[in-house]
Amino acid sequence: MEIDRTIENETEIENEESEQIIEVPLPPGLPQSVIGRLSCVCDIGYEIKKDEMMDKEYPIIRGTQEQIDYVKDYIFLFTELKLALREISRLARRFKTDVKLFTEDDELQYVLGFAVQDVSGRDRFEVLMEKPEGEGEKIVILEREFYVYL
């Protein structure tokens, strides 16, 4: 009986520790649109802290360790995706063509939907729900793939 209570108490302590809220500063240059989506999608807190000694303000996110790990992956995916879309946009403007994007990965499709909005030349992009006819160029970002159709 006492052993069971001891195990329950230890489990409760472990759960409390894993549920502990931590704060992590965000990297500079992260767009507000990404921060807003992170706070909604990942259910994290966001605030701007002020460092009195340095007289600077910096953004932080607040959440559990699990939430913070998910947000980090999300930020890496968005950043890499945005860099790729920037190059695609540059080529689309140069050759005056529209670009269609398709992926079977639901999460990547969601990220593509708002990453396109943060790229110049976004009017040339269309994120498709169904795979179009013809061959597309396969692009792999962080082990996730999407296709570009011209």
Side-chain angles (χ1 to χ4, degrees):
M1 201 69 156
E2 272 187 50
I3 294 174
D4 290 337
R5 287 183 189 173
T6 306
I7 292 173
E8 286 177 17
N9 288 340
E10 288 178 5
T11 305
E12 287 176 13
I13 291 170
E14 288 175 8
N15 287 340
E16 287 175 10
E17 288 175 0
S18 67
E19 296 290 323
Q20 186 178 17
I21 303 297
I22 56 175
E23 294 181 350
V24 177
L26 289 173
L30 197 61
Q32 288 292 326
S33 62
V34 175
I35 295 169
R37 285 183 180 90
L38 289 174
S39 63
C40 291
V41 172
C42 304
D43 194 29
I44 57 165
Y46 167 74
E47 100 180 48
I48 296 182
K49 289 259 183 162
K50 183 166 182 150
D51 184 358
E52 299 294 332
M53 293 182 71
M54 302 291 278
D55 194 33
K56 287 188 174 183
E57 294 181 343
Y58 58 95
I60 62 150
I61 54 175
R62 180 182 298 128
T64 63
Q65 185 63 46
E66 183 179 321
Q67 290 170 322
I68 299 297
D69 291 341
Y70 182 72
V71 167
K72 285 180 183 178
D73 292 340
Y74 200 76
I75 289 172
F76 290 137
L77 176 62
F78 179 79
T79 305
E80 292 297 319
L81 189 58
K82 190 171 176 183
L83 291 172
L85 290 175
R86 185 182 299 161
E87 290 300 315
I88 294 168
S89 175
R90 187 175 297 142
L91 289 171
R93 276 194 313 264
R94 184 176 191 185
F95 294 106
K96 298 178 184 165
T97 185
D98 291 337
V99 177
K100 295 179 178 124
L101 306 171
F102 172 76
T103 183
E104 294 173 353
D105 184 344
D106 291 335
E107 187 176 17
L108 183 59
Q109 187 171 13
Y110 175 72
V111 176
L112 268 173
F114 70 83
V116 165
Q117 299 303 315
D118 289 342
V119 175
S120 66
R122 62 181 161 259
D123 53 324
R124 295 191 179 271
F125 284 95
E126 181 182 357
V127 180
L128 303 173
M129 299 301 212
E130 295 180 11
K131 189 170 185 171
E133 300 280 329
E135 286 191 39
E137 184 69 29
K138 180 170 121 177
I139 298 179
V140 179
I141 295 180
L142 299 177
E143 299 177 5
R144 296 174 186 236
E145 56 188 45
F146 70 97
Y147 295 89
V148 177
Y149 296 90
L150 302 176

